[in-house]
Amino acid sequence: VGPQMLSVVTTPSGAHKIKVLASLPHRLDVDVLSRIDSAHILVSTYPHHRIYVFNTKKRTFRMLRKGWNAVYFPATRDIVFLDNPHGGFTAQELWIAPLADPLKARILDRGPFPIQMPVVPIASNAFVYSSWRKTGKQQLWLYNLSFKTFVPLNISGVYPELWLPALRAILCVNLA
């Protein structure tokens, strides 16, 4: 099996055309893609948990740091991601870092979290995620990057997957 490819699929007049943009470095697989701007995409990979910026014009990857499930927030120019400096998934932590200097990261939440928990953007400066943060029970939390505030949503037994802006709702999956 060869490396995973980033491709663009166009559909002019109903005919599908696939244009390969680039191969992922080091045979890594894509975990999450997050748009930075018209020329850059944030790419989270596994199994080695690295975060890259892909330049769509130059078709090059630049590694930013270790981590996974990375999402870019344009209002604050930050990336939010999971990491575990000690290795493994058992003690993963939610981190935030400026895109301009991703090594200057700080911990937002020590969890614990569901395995491979997604961070779901609901605005350019806010996201929802699932954590057992401080309460000892799993529930959804809203974090506002601009105000640096956590708000418990008092919704438990699910984890968020996708923001549905037209409905102003979060699509969730039940926890087993």
Side-chain angles (χ1 to χ4, degrees):
V1 175
Q4 222 176 32
M5 308 283 189
L6 287 182
S7 304
V8 175
V9 179
T10 59
T11 57
S13 306
H16 298 292
K17 292 184 179 182
I18 298 176
K19 178 181 177 183
V20 174
L21 292 178
S23 296
L24 287 174
H26 313 295
R27 298 186 142 204
L28 297 173
D29 290 320
V30 172
D31 184 24
V32 176
L33 297 173
S34 182
R35 184 177 186 270
I36 296 171
D37 57 36
S38 63
H40 299 92
I41 300 168
L42 193 65
V43 181
S44 295
T45 63
Y46 67 91
H48 302 296
H49 302 121
R50 299 288 185 259
I51 302 168
Y52 295 87
V53 170
F54 177 65
N55 184 316
T56 60
K57 292 182 179 170
K58 295 179 183 176
R59 297 183 183 183
T60 56
F61 289 89
R62 178 174 53 94
M63 191 179 91
L64 294 181
R65 63 163 299 119
K66 201 167 95 40
W68 67 93
N69 279 16
V71 178
Y72 176 70
F73 290 89
T76 57
R77 302 188 44 80
D78 289 319
I79 57 173
V80 173
F81 58 96
L82 291 173
D83 194 8
N84 180 356
H86 313 291
F89 286 104
T90 57
Q92 61 186 348
E93 299 163 329
L94 185 65
W95 292 73
I96 187 169
L99 179 65
D101 194 355
L103 297 180
K104 288 190 176 177
R106 64 182 172 84
I107 296 173
L108 287 177
D109 190 341
R110 293 189 188 276
F113 309 104
I115 298 297
Q116 291 295 85
M117 174 219 49
V119 169
V120 178
I122 63 167
S124 64
N125 68 341
F127 64 89
V128 171
Y129 72 105
S130 177
S131 175
W132 281 261
R133 179 181 207 285
K134 296 186 179 184
T135 64
K137 70 173 192 165
Q138 179 275 335
Q139 69 174 329
L140 298 187
W141 290 84
L142 170 69
Y143 184 74
N144 184 302
L145 287 94
S146 298
F147 298 111
K148 299 179 176 137
T149 55
F150 290 94
V151 177
L153 298 179
N154 298 317
I155 300 168
S156 61
V158 299
Y159 63 91
E161 283 291 336
L162 182 66
W163 173 243
L164 304 170
L167 300 174
R168 299 198 45 78
I170 304 164
L171 179 64
C172 295
V173 174
N174 291 343
L175 290 174

PDB file of all heavy atoms in Angstrom, residues 52-76:
ATOM      1  N   TYR A  52       0.865  19.190  10.412  1.00  0.00           N
ATOM      2  CA  TYR A  52       1.564  19.837   9.312  1.00  0.00           C
ATOM      3  C   TYR A  52       0.719  20.986   8.766  1.00  0.00           C
ATOM      4  O   TYR A  52      -0.502  20.996   8.925  1.00  0.00           O
ATOM      5  CB  TYR A  52       1.771  18.862   8.149  1.00  0.00           C
ATOM      6  CG  TYR A  52       2.660  17.693   8.444  1.00  0.00           C
ATOM      7  CD1 TYR A  52       2.149  16.527   8.998  1.00  0.00           C
ATOM      8  CD2 TYR A  52       4.021  17.732   8.148  1.00  0.00           C
ATOM      9  CE1 TYR A  52       2.958  15.440   9.258  1.00  0.00           C
ATOM     10  CE2 TYR A  52       4.846  16.646   8.402  1.00  0.00           C
ATOM     11  CZ  TYR A  52       4.304  15.503   8.962  1.00  0.00           C
ATOM     12  OH  TYR A  52       5.112  14.430   9.219  1.00  0.00           O
ATOM     13  N   VAL A  53       1.389  21.902   8.070  1.00  0.00           N
ATOM     14  CA  VAL A  53       0.704  22.858   7.203  1.00  0.00           C
ATOM     15  C   VAL A  53       1.033  22.452   5.781  1.00  0.00           C
ATOM     16  O   VAL A  53       2.207  22.270   5.428  1.00  0.00           O
ATOM     17  CB  VAL A  53       1.148  24.312   7.463  1.00  0.00           C
ATOM     18  CG1 VAL A  53       0.604  25.235   6.381  1.00  0.00           C
ATOM     19  CG2 VAL A  53       0.677  24.787   8.822  1.00  0.00           C
ATOM     20  N   PHE A  54      -0.023  22.275   4.979  1.00  0.00           N
ATOM     21  CA  PHE A  54       0.156  21.952   3.574  1.00  0.00           C
ATOM     22  C   PHE A  54      -0.060  23.218   2.759  1.00  0.00           C
ATOM     23  O   PHE A  54      -1.093  23.870   2.875  1.00  0.00           O
ATOM     24  CB  PHE A  54      -0.833  20.871   3.136  1.00  0.00           C
ATOM     25  CG  PHE A  54      -0.754  20.546   1.673  1.00  0.00           C
ATOM     26  CD1 PHE A  54       0.387  19.970   1.146  1.00  0.00           C
ATOM     27  CD2 PHE A  54      -1.814  20.809   0.835  1.00  0.00           C
ATOM     28  CE1 PHE A  54       0.473  19.671  -0.213  1.00  0.00           C
ATOM     29  CE2 PHE A  54      -1.749  20.526  -0.517  1.00  0.00           C
ATOM     30  CZ  PHE A  54      -0.604  19.955  -1.041  1.00  0.00           C
ATOM     31  N   ASN A  55       0.936  23.587   1.950  1.00  0.00           N
ATOM     32  CA  ASN A  55       0.846  24.738   1.066  1.00  0.00           C
ATOM     33  C   ASN A  55       0.299  24.237  -0.266  1.00  0.00           C
ATOM     34  O   ASN A  55       0.973  23.481  -0.968  1.00  0.00           O
ATOM     35  CB  ASN A  55       2.228  25.373   0.896  1.00  0.00           C
ATOM     36  CG  ASN A  55       2.190  26.631   0.055  1.00  0.00           C
ATOM     37  OD1 ASN A  55       1.534  26.672  -0.984  1.00  0.00           O
ATOM     38  ND2 ASN A  55       2.881  27.656   0.507  1.00  0.00           N
ATOM     39  N   THR A  56      -0.925  24.652  -0.610  1.00  0.00           N
ATOM     40  CA  THR A  56      -1.578  24.137  -1.814  1.00  0.00           C
ATOM     41  C   THR A  56      -0.942  24.660  -3.095  1.00  0.00           C
ATOM     42  O   THR A  56      -1.057  24.019  -4.137  1.00  0.00           O
ATOM     43  CB  THR A  56      -3.082  24.488  -1.818  1.00  0.00           C
ATOM     44  OG1 THR A  56      -3.236  25.891  -1.783  1.00  0.00           O
ATOM     45  CG2 THR A  56      -3.790  23.842  -0.641  1.00  0.00           C
ATOM     46  N   LYS A  57      -0.284  25.795  -3.033  1.00  0.00           N
ATOM     47  CA  LYS A  57       0.361  26.349  -4.235  1.00  0.00           C
ATOM     48  C   LYS A  57       1.709  25.677  -4.497  1.00  0.00           C
ATOM     49  O   LYS A  57       2.012  25.290  -5.614  1.00  0.00           O
ATOM     50  CB  LYS A  57       0.523  27.856  -4.105  1.00  0.00           C
ATOM     51  CG  LYS A  57      -0.818  28.564  -4.118  1.00  0.00           C
ATOM     52  CD  LYS A  57      -0.696  30.041  -4.048  1.00  0.00           C
ATOM     53  CE  LYS A  57      -2.118  30.569  -4.100  1.00  0.00           C
ATOM     54  NZ  LYS A  57      -2.296  31.907  -3.839  1.00  0.00           N
ATOM     55  N   LYS A  58       2.504  25.524  -3.458  1.00  0.00           N
ATOM     56  CA  LYS A  58       3.825  24.898  -3.606  1.00  0.00           C
ATOM     57  C   LYS A  58       3.761  23.382  -3.499  1.00  0.00           C
ATOM     58  O   LYS A  58       4.724  22.698  -3.812  1.00  0.00           O
ATOM     59  CB  LYS A  58       4.780  25.433  -2.546  1.00  0.00           C
ATOM     60  CG  LYS A  58       5.073  26.909  -2.688  1.00  0.00           C
ATOM     61  CD  LYS A  58       6.014  27.359  -1.578  1.00  0.00           C
ATOM     62  CE  LYS A  58       6.270  28.847  -1.662  1.00  0.00           C
ATOM     63  NZ  LYS A  58       7.108  29.293  -0.535  1.00  0.00           N
ATOM     64  N   ARG A  59       2.608  22.876  -2.972  1.00  0.00           N
ATOM     65  CA  ARG A  59       2.411  21.444  -2.756  1.00  0.00           C
ATOM     66  C   ARG A  59       3.477  20.864  -1.824  1.00  0.00           C
ATOM     67  O   ARG A  59       4.047  19.809  -2.081  1.00  0.00           O
ATOM     68  CB  ARG A  59       2.365  20.689  -4.066  1.00  0.00           C
ATOM     69  CG  ARG A  59       1.205  21.125  -4.922  1.00  0.00           C
ATOM     70  CD  ARG A  59       1.115  20.345  -6.166  1.00  0.00           C
ATOM     71  NE  ARG A  59       0.016  20.862  -6.971  1.00  0.00           N
ATOM     72  CZ  ARG A  59      -0.352  20.355  -8.097  1.00  0.00           C
ATOM     73  NH1 ARG A  59       0.259  19.305  -8.588  1.00  0.00           N
ATOM     74  NH2 ARG A  59      -1.340  20.870  -8.768  1.00  0.00           N
ATOM     75  N   THR A  60       3.713  21.581  -0.737  1.00  0.00           N
ATOM     76  CA  THR A  60       4.715  21.152   0.236  1.00  0.00           C
ATOM     77  C   THR A  60       4.096  21.068   1.626  1.00  0.00           C
ATOM     78  O   THR A  60       3.118  21.761   1.927  1.00  0.00           O
ATOM     79  CB  THR A  60       5.896  22.140   0.294  1.00  0.00           C
ATOM     80  OG1 THR A  60       5.396  23.444   0.589  1.00  0.00           O
ATOM     81  CG2 THR A  60       6.654  22.166  -1.023  1.00  0.00           C
ATOM     82  N   PHE A  61       4.688  20.219   2.449  1.00  0.00           N
ATOM     83  CA  PHE A  61       4.284  20.063   3.835  1.00  0.00           C
ATOM     84  C   PHE A  61       5.361  20.658   4.735  1.00  0.00           C
ATOM     85  O   PHE A  61       6.549  20.484   4.475  1.00  0.00           O
ATOM     86  CB  PHE A  61       4.126  18.586   4.202  1.00  0.00           C
ATOM     87  CG  PHE A  61       2.932  17.929   3.587  1.00  0.00           C
ATOM     88  CD1 PHE A  61       3.018  17.330   2.345  1.00  0.00           C
ATOM     89  CD2 PHE A  61       1.726  17.900   4.261  1.00  0.00           C
ATOM     90  CE1 PHE A  61       1.915  16.707   1.789  1.00  0.00           C
ATOM     91  CE2 PHE A  61       0.617  17.288   3.714  1.00  0.00           C
ATOM     92  CZ  PHE A  61       0.719  16.688   2.469  1.00  0.00           C
ATOM     93  N   ARG A  62       4.912  21.330   5.793  1.00  0.00           N
ATOM     94  CA  ARG A  62       5.836  21.817   6.823  1.00  0.00           C
ATOM     95  C   ARG A  62       5.313  21.308   8.162  1.00  0.00           C
ATOM     96  O   ARG A  62       4.172  21.573   8.537  1.00  0.00           O
ATOM     97  CB  ARG A  62       5.867  23.350   6.816  1.00  0.00           C
ATOM     98  CG  ARG A  62       6.776  23.952   7.882  1.00  0.00           C
ATOM     99  CD  ARG A  62       6.884  25.470   7.734  1.00  0.00           C
ATOM    100  NE  ARG A  62       5.611  26.150   7.699  1.00  0.00           N
ATOM    101  CZ  ARG A  62       5.000  26.683   8.764  1.00  0.00           C
ATOM    102  NH1 ARG A  62       5.534  26.595   9.957  1.00  0.00           N
ATOM    103  NH2 ARG A  62       3.841  27.304   8.635  1.00  0.00           N
ATOM    104  N   MET A  63       6.145  20.550   8.870  1.00  0.00           N
ATOM    105  CA  MET A  63       5.696  20.020  10.152  1.00  0.00           C
ATOM    106  C   MET A  63       5.717  21.138  11.195  1.00  0.00           C
ATOM    107  O   MET A  63       6.696  21.868  11.318  1.00  0.00           O
ATOM    108  CB  MET A  63       6.565  18.872  10.636  1.00  0.00           C
ATOM    109  CG  MET A  63       5.908  18.175  11.822  1.00  0.00           C
ATOM    110  SD  MET A  63       6.801  16.802  12.476  1.00  0.00           S
ATOM    111  CE  MET A  63       7.769  17.625  13.703  1.00  0.00           C
ATOM    112  N   LEU A  64       4.596  21.257  11.945  1.00  0.00           N
ATOM    113  CA  LEU A  64       4.491  22.269  12.986  1.00  0.00           C
ATOM    114  C   LEU A  64       4.897  21.729  14.344  1.00  0.00           C
ATOM    115  O   LEU A  64       5.640  22.360  15.077  1.00  0.00           O
ATOM    116  CB  LEU A  64       3.057  22.790  13.095  1.00  0.00           C
ATOM    117  CG  LEU A  64       2.505  23.565  11.913  1.00  0.00           C
ATOM    118  CD1 LEU A  64       1.086  24.014  12.219  1.00  0.00           C
ATOM    119  CD2 LEU A  64       3.387  24.753  11.596  1.00  0.00           C
ATOM    120  N   ARG A  65       4.347  20.552  14.683  1.00  0.00           N
ATOM    121  CA  ARG A  65       4.576  20.015  16.018  1.00  0.00           C
ATOM    122  C   ARG A  65       3.919  18.647  16.142  1.00  0.00           C
ATOM    123  O   ARG A  65       3.226  18.213  15.243  1.00  0.00           O
ATOM    124  CB  ARG A  65       4.034  20.956  17.085  1.00  0.00           C
ATOM    125  CG  ARG A  65       2.520  21.175  17.032  1.00  0.00           C
ATOM    126  CD  ARG A  65       1.944  21.752  18.286  1.00  0.00           C
ATOM    127  NE  ARG A  65       2.165  20.864  19.400  1.00  0.00           N
ATOM    128  CZ  ARG A  65       2.879  21.192  20.501  1.00  0.00           C
ATOM    129  NH1 ARG A  65       3.369  22.383  20.648  1.00  0.00           N
ATOM    130  NH2 ARG A  65       3.052  20.319  21.471  1.00  0.00           N
ATOM    131  N   LYS A  66       4.093  18.032  17.288  1.00  0.00           N
ATOM    132  CA  LYS A  66       3.428  16.788  17.631  1.00  0.00           C
ATOM    133  C   LYS A  66       1.991  17.107  18.059  1.00  0.00           C
ATOM    134  O   LYS A  66       1.739  18.170  18.613  1.00  0.00           O
ATOM    135  CB  LYS A  66       4.197  16.146  18.789  1.00  0.00           C
ATOM    136  CG  LYS A  66       3.995  14.676  18.965  1.00  0.00           C
ATOM    137  CD  LYS A  66       5.030  14.133  19.919  1.00  0.00           C
ATOM    138  CE  LYS A  66       4.643  14.030  21.304  1.00  0.00           C
ATOM    139  NZ  LYS A  66       3.569  13.683  21.976  1.00  0.00           N
ATOM    140  N   GLY A  67       1.083  16.180  17.812  1.00  0.00           N
ATOM    141  CA  GLY A  67      -0.307  16.357  18.220  1.00  0.00           C
ATOM    142  C   GLY A  67      -1.237  15.713  17.212  1.00  0.00           C
ATOM    143  O   GLY A  67      -0.798  15.216  16.173  1.00  0.00           O
ATOM    144  N   TRP A  68      -2.534  15.690  17.524  1.00  0.00           N
ATOM    145  CA  TRP A  68      -3.530  15.141  16.609  1.00  0.00           C
ATOM    146  C   TRP A  68      -4.858  15.852  16.816  1.00  0.00           C
ATOM    147  O   TRP A  68      -5.030  16.620  17.745  1.00  0.00           O
ATOM    148  CB  TRP A  68      -3.643  13.621  16.755  1.00  0.00           C
ATOM    149  CG  TRP A  68      -4.185  13.105  18.042  1.00  0.00           C
ATOM    150  CD1 TRP A  68      -5.481  12.798  18.333  1.00  0.00           C
ATOM    151  CD2 TRP A  68      -3.452  12.824  19.247  1.00  0.00           C
ATOM    152  NE1 TRP A  68      -5.597  12.343  19.620  1.00  0.00           N
ATOM    153  CE2 TRP A  68      -4.358  12.341  20.206  1.00  0.00           C
ATOM    154  CE3 TRP A  68      -2.110  12.935  19.609  1.00  0.00           C
ATOM    155  CZ2 TRP A  68      -3.984  11.979  21.487  1.00  0.00           C
ATOM    156  CZ3 TRP A  68      -1.733  12.564  20.887  1.00  0.00           C
ATOM    157  CH2 TRP A  68      -2.663  12.089  21.804  1.00  0.00           C
ATOM    158  N   ASN A  69      -5.781  15.587  15.888  1.00  0.00           N
ATOM    159  CA  ASN A  69      -7.106  16.231  15.885  1.00  0.00           C
ATOM    160  C   ASN A  69      -7.000  17.753  15.907  1.00  0.00           C
ATOM    161  O   ASN A  69      -7.773  18.429  16.580  1.00  0.00           O
ATOM    162  CB  ASN A  69      -7.949  15.752  17.068  1.00  0.00           C
ATOM    163  CG  ASN A  69      -8.608  14.414  16.820  1.00  0.00           C
ATOM    164  OD1 ASN A  69      -8.225  13.701  15.909  1.00  0.00           O
ATOM    165  ND2 ASN A  69      -9.578  14.063  17.619  1.00  0.00           N
ATOM    166  N   ALA A  70      -6.073  18.304  15.167  1.00  0.00           N
ATOM    167  CA  ALA A  70      -5.844  19.753  15.165  1.00  0.00           C
ATOM    168  C   ALA A  70      -6.895  20.492  14.333  1.00  0.00           C
ATOM    169  O   ALA A  70      -7.266  20.048  13.257  1.00  0.00           O
ATOM    170  CB  ALA A  70      -4.453  20.076  14.638  1.00  0.00           C
ATOM    171  N   VAL A  71      -7.342  21.624  14.870  1.00  0.00           N
ATOM    172  CA  VAL A  71      -8.309  22.490  14.189  1.00  0.00           C
ATOM    173  C   VAL A  71      -7.791  23.925  14.282  1.00  0.00           C
ATOM    174  O   VAL A  71      -7.309  24.348  15.330  1.00  0.00           O
ATOM    175  CB  VAL A  71      -9.708  22.377  14.839  1.00  0.00           C
ATOM    176  CG1 VAL A  71     -10.700  23.313  14.156  1.00  0.00           C
ATOM    177  CG2 VAL A  71     -10.216  20.941  14.783  1.00  0.00           C
ATOM    178  N   TYR A  72      -7.932  24.666  13.184  1.00  0.00           N
ATOM    179  CA  TYR A  72      -7.494  26.068  13.132  1.00  0.00           C
ATOM    180  C   TYR A  72      -8.678  26.998  13.393  1.00  0.00           C
ATOM    181  O   TYR A  72      -9.779  26.763  12.891  1.00  0.00           O
ATOM    182  CB  TYR A  72      -6.893  26.368  11.755  1.00  0.00           C
ATOM    183  CG  TYR A  72      -6.508  27.814  11.589  1.00  0.00           C
ATOM    184  CD1 TYR A  72      -5.436  28.346  12.296  1.00  0.00           C
ATOM    185  CD2 TYR A  72      -7.209  28.646  10.729  1.00  0.00           C
ATOM    186  CE1 TYR A  72      -5.077  29.680  12.154  1.00  0.00           C
ATOM    187  CE2 TYR A  72      -6.853  29.976  10.571  1.00  0.00           C
ATOM    188  CZ  TYR A  72      -5.789  30.486  11.289  1.00  0.00           C
ATOM    189  OH  TYR A  72      -5.443  31.809  11.144  1.00  0.00           O
ATOM    190  N   PHE A  73      -8.417  28.058  14.178  1.00  0.00           N
ATOM    191  CA  PHE A  73      -9.439  29.060  14.484  1.00  0.00           C
ATOM    192  C   PHE A  73      -8.963  30.419  13.992  1.00  0.00           C
ATOM    193  O   PHE A  73      -8.053  31.016  14.579  1.00  0.00           O
ATOM    194  CB  PHE A  73      -9.736  29.078  15.991  1.00  0.00           C
ATOM    195  CG  PHE A  73     -10.452  27.842  16.427  1.00  0.00           C
ATOM    196  CD1 PHE A  73      -9.749  26.724  16.822  1.00  0.00           C
ATOM    197  CD2 PHE A  73     -11.829  27.774  16.368  1.00  0.00           C
ATOM    198  CE1 PHE A  73     -10.406  25.559  17.174  1.00  0.00           C
ATOM    199  CE2 PHE A  73     -12.501  26.619  16.725  1.00  0.00           C
ATOM    200  CZ  PHE A  73     -11.788  25.514  17.123  1.00  0.00           C
ATOM    201  N   PRO A  74      -9.567  30.934  12.906  1.00  0.00           N
ATOM    202  CA  PRO A  74      -9.091  32.167  12.276  1.00  0.00           C
ATOM    203  C   PRO A  74      -9.227  33.427  13.136  1.00  0.00           C
ATOM    204  O   PRO A  74      -8.401  34.326  13.030  1.00  0.00           O
ATOM    205  CB  PRO A  74      -9.924  32.282  11.000  1.00  0.00           C
ATOM    206  CG  PRO A  74     -11.082  31.377  11.188  1.00  0.00           C
ATOM    207  CD  PRO A  74     -10.683  30.329  12.182  1.00  0.00           C
ATOM    208  N   ALA A  75     -10.229  33.501  13.987  1.00  0.00           N
ATOM    209  CA  ALA A  75     -10.439  34.729  14.778  1.00  0.00           C
ATOM    210  C   ALA A  75      -9.257  35.016  15.702  1.00  0.00           C
ATOM    211  O   ALA A  75      -8.912  36.164  15.931  1.00  0.00           O
ATOM    212  CB  ALA A  75     -11.729  34.645  15.588  1.00  0.00           C
ATOM    213  N   THR A  76      -8.649  33.955  16.219  1.00  0.00           N
ATOM    214  CA  THR A  76      -7.528  34.140  17.149  1.00  0.00           C
ATOM    215  C   THR A  76      -6.206  33.653  16.550  1.00  0.00           C
ATOM    216  O   THR A  76      -5.167  33.803  17.182  1.00  0.00           O
ATOM    217  CB  THR A  76      -7.788  33.375  18.460  1.00  0.00           C
ATOM    218  OG1 THR A  76      -8.003  31.999  18.157  1.00  0.00           O
ATOM    219  CG2 THR A  76      -8.990  33.956  19.186  1.00  0.00           C
TER     220      THR A  76
END
